[in-house]
Amino acid sequence: MVFVLRGFDIMKDMKRFIFFFLLFFLVPIFAKAETPIVERVKGRILLQVESYGRAWYVDPVSGKRFYLKDGEVAYALMREKGLGITNANLEKIPVKKGQVGDKKLIDRIKGRILLQVESRGEAWYVNPTDGVRYYLKDGDAAYKLMRSAALGVKNSDLKKIPMNEEQVAFGGVFDSVAYAAYKDGSYETGAYADTILPLASLTKLMTALVFVDRYPNWEAYAVITKEHILYPKSFVGDDATSEVDYKAGERVRVRDAFVALLVASSNQSAAVLADATGLPRSEFVALMNEKARTLGFKKTKFYDVSGLDANNVSTPKEMALLASAAFADTAIAEAARQTSYAISALSADGTTREIPVTNRNYSLLKFNPDAVKTGFLIEAQRNVALKKGDTIAVVLHARSMKERDDILRKILPQE
């Protein structure tokens, strides 16, 4: 028996049959599976399941992702990306599941942020998954929406969604090491040198620069408070951080806290010094960002004085220039080259207690640096800014101390 389909003989032309079967039946299936992830998640809010639940919004117009640091940032960004809509058209979009809406309109604007142009500019988010609009009253509402409407995403998939060029923020999926060498006003070498990455405790170089500008009385005493002691916990909970043995109620010289900031990378000292200026910490951070702008930085941003906030970011190039400015200051350079130090803390009853301050960067000290500062966070990995002779070397996101030190050997001047 001969089987005929639409005029061609399958027994005589089995290859043609297989080709058309694949073309009309299997190809659409695989085409759907191969739809770029950007197209599948446009307008969605994503949560990195492998990276502390960092939240992202994929702009449905550009297909680029924007970092939603918190509710306040999410609210501001969503309003910035808003599309104006009349009240009449807004009414065509349901406010709860089960309501009938204008399907064509919803399909056209799903995933968009809508702003009521005929009212007070109220913001709404049209969820692509259900076609319902959600009211974004303020930052808290935006934060709740981030969590309730979000889609979990792996780092491998997030990497396929391009980062926007507007935000000064860590892209969240960098998996290499970045570095730059700076000498005599120019960059000599580097890799991923313009990539925005977390700074961790390299932040303290900017803290030191701003402090030097604002606080000339190095022999004054600062009181250690309970809030200073607990300060790191507000960022990392019970995880261990770099500290010296401060006790609440003791007084320490400002000069000593400054050395502890740079030698022991004491996060508590960062808070002590910022508070010693008499400024609210938020204003001190504002001065850090102002200093960054003064230095001409475009990709550097600070949110806290210690570097415990992983949102403190810069690039190897800009960090090299920052380190150059910091290590050019005599007070910073002298503190940053100390290997050991002792603080005399005064208690309320007038007795003194010696607090050791130790530089534990043993492998880096073998380079005989003129000044050095390190940093570490899970998000940042191992960072270093090191001055040797006329060269400033910066390494960000090294996955091990060996990788960090190997790069330093490659870019530092040979003895």
Side-chain angles (χ1 to χ4, degrees):
M1 183 176 79
V2 177
F3 180 72
V4 177
L5 178 62
R6 292 191 178 180
F8 75 84
D9 190 329
I10 293 175
M11 296 298 293
K12 292 181 179 180
D13 205 344
M14 181 62 72
K15 289 183 179 180
R16 287 178 62 195
F17 172 77
I18 294 173
F19 171 80
F20 281 106
F21 178 82
L22 291 171
L23 180 65
F24 290 108
F25 292 95
L26 295 185
V27 169
I29 296 174
F30 284 99
K32 183 176 181 181
E34 291 299 322
T35 301
I37 187 171
V38 174
E39 297 301 320
R40 302 202 303 270
V41 298
K42 278 186 174 181
R44 295 297 302 270
I45 297 170
L46 309 176
L47 289 182
Q48 277 180 272
V49 296
E50 298 166 325
S51 297
Y52 306 98
R54 291 166 68 93
W56 303 85
Y57 171 63
V58 183
D59 182 15
V61 178
S62 67
K64 296 183 179 181
R65 56 189 167 95
F66 289 78
Y67 177 46
L68 305 179
K69 176 179 176 290
D70 50 33
E72 182 179 349
V73 171
Y75 182 66
L77 176 68
M78 289 180 166
R79 289 190 65 85
E80 179 185 330
K81 296 294 175 185
L83 172 70
I85 190 171
T86 63
N87 290 347
N89 280 331
L90 188 67
E91 290 297 322
K92 298 176 184 179
I93 307 169
V95 294
K96 61 182 180 180
K97 295 179 182 179
Q99 284 186 337
V100 178
D102 185 329
K103 188 176 185 305
K104 289 184 178 180
L105 175 63
I106 295 170
D107 286 343
R108 194 167 73 248
I109 61 175
K110 61 185 180 181
R112 297 296 300 269
I113 308 300
L114 306 178
L115 301 178
Q116 287 181 257
V117 295
E118 296 174 339
S119 188
R120 296 185 301 277
E122 288 93 335
W124 300 81
Y125 170 68
V126 182
N127 192 339
T129 61
D130 57 20
V132 172
R133 58 183 163 106
Y134 294 85
Y135 181 40
L136 302 177
K137 178 184 176 183
D138 51 27
D140 288 340
Y143 182 80
K144 290 177 182 177
L145 177 65
M146 281 165 48
R147 297 296 161 180
S148 64
L151 172 70
V153 63
K154 293 183 177 180
N155 289 353
S156 57
D157 286 327
L158 190 68
K159 286 176 65 174
K160 300 173 185 176
I161 306 168
M163 180 70 176
N164 74 89
E165 297 85 16
E166 302 169 41
Q167 286 184 309
V168 179
F170 174 41
V173 289
F174 187 73
D175 58 2
S176 188
V177 59
Y179 60 90
Y182 178 82
K183 181 180 180 181
D184 297 332
S186 62
Y187 295 98
E188 295 198 315
T189 186
Y192 303 104
D194 293 308
T195 302
I196 298 174
L197 295 165
L199 287 176
S201 283
L202 296 193
T203 293
K204 294 182 175 78
L205 290 179
M206 180 60 90
T207 303
L209 268 176
V210 172
F211 186 80
V212 167
D213 289 344
R214 301 287 299 189
Y215 202 90
N217 189 359
W218 293 90
E219 303 309 315
Y221 280 83
V223 178
I224 307 299
T225 67
K226 184 178 181 180
E227 192 278 334
H228 293 143
I229 301 298
L230 296 177
Y231 168 71
K233 292 182 179 294
S234 63
F235 292 97
V236 297
D238 292 327
D239 289 354
T241 59
S242 297
E243 309 300 344
V244 295
D245 187 25
Y246 288 139
K247 296 187 184 303
E250 291 181 329
R251 293 185 299 143
V252 299
R253 281 193 314 170
V254 164
R255 182 183 300 279
D256 292 343
F258 190 80
V259 173
L261 173 83
L262 295 172
V263 175
S265 201
S266 166
N267 301 293
Q268 295 164 347
S269 292
V272 169
L273 293 169
D275 293 350
T277 64
L279 295 171
R281 233 169 271 168
S282 59
E283 290 188 24
F284 192 97
V285 172
L287 289 175
M288 294 167 67
N289 286 309
E290 182 181 319
K291 186 77 169 181
R293 288 189 292 271
T294 300
L295 291 169
F297 299 164
K298 305 295 185 183
K299 297 181 178 181
T300 300
K301 183 75 173 178
F302 298 100
Y303 291 91
D304 92 292
V305 298
S306 68
L308 288 174
D309 190 328
N311 294 298
N312 286 8
V313 294
S314 187
T315 68
K317 276 188 176 181
E318 292 190 358
M319 189 63 227
L321 189 56
L322 171 57
S324 178
F327 293 148
D329 183 275
T330 302
I332 295 174
E334 287 182 355
R337 70 169 63 100
Q338 299 279 346
T339 56
S340 62
Y341 191 82
I343 295 174
S344 291
L346 299 178
S347 64
D349 62 7
T351 58
T352 61
R353 182 175 66 93
E354 193 169 275
I355 304 173
V357 179
T358 304
N359 186 332
R360 294 185 175 85
N361 299 309
Y362 304 119
S363 67
L364 294 174
L365 294 177
K366 294 178 181 178
F367 289 94
N368 297 314
D370 296 310
V372 64
K373 185 72 195 78
T374 61
F376 176 81
L377 283 176
I378 294 297
E379 299 92 332
Q381 291 297 290
R382 289 164 177 83
N383 296 346
V384 66
L386 185 148
K387 182 179 188 296
K388 185 174 179 64
D390 296 328
T391 300
I392 300 289
V394 169
V395 181
L396 301 182
H397 207 268
R399 279 71 56 90
S400 67
M401 287 189 289
K402 181 180 184 304
E403 182 177 52
R404 179 197 67 189
D405 295 353
D406 285 346
I407 291 173
L408 288 176
R409 291 187 188 93
K410 180 170 67 173
I411 63 179
L412 285 173
Q414 300 297 314
E415 295 182 343

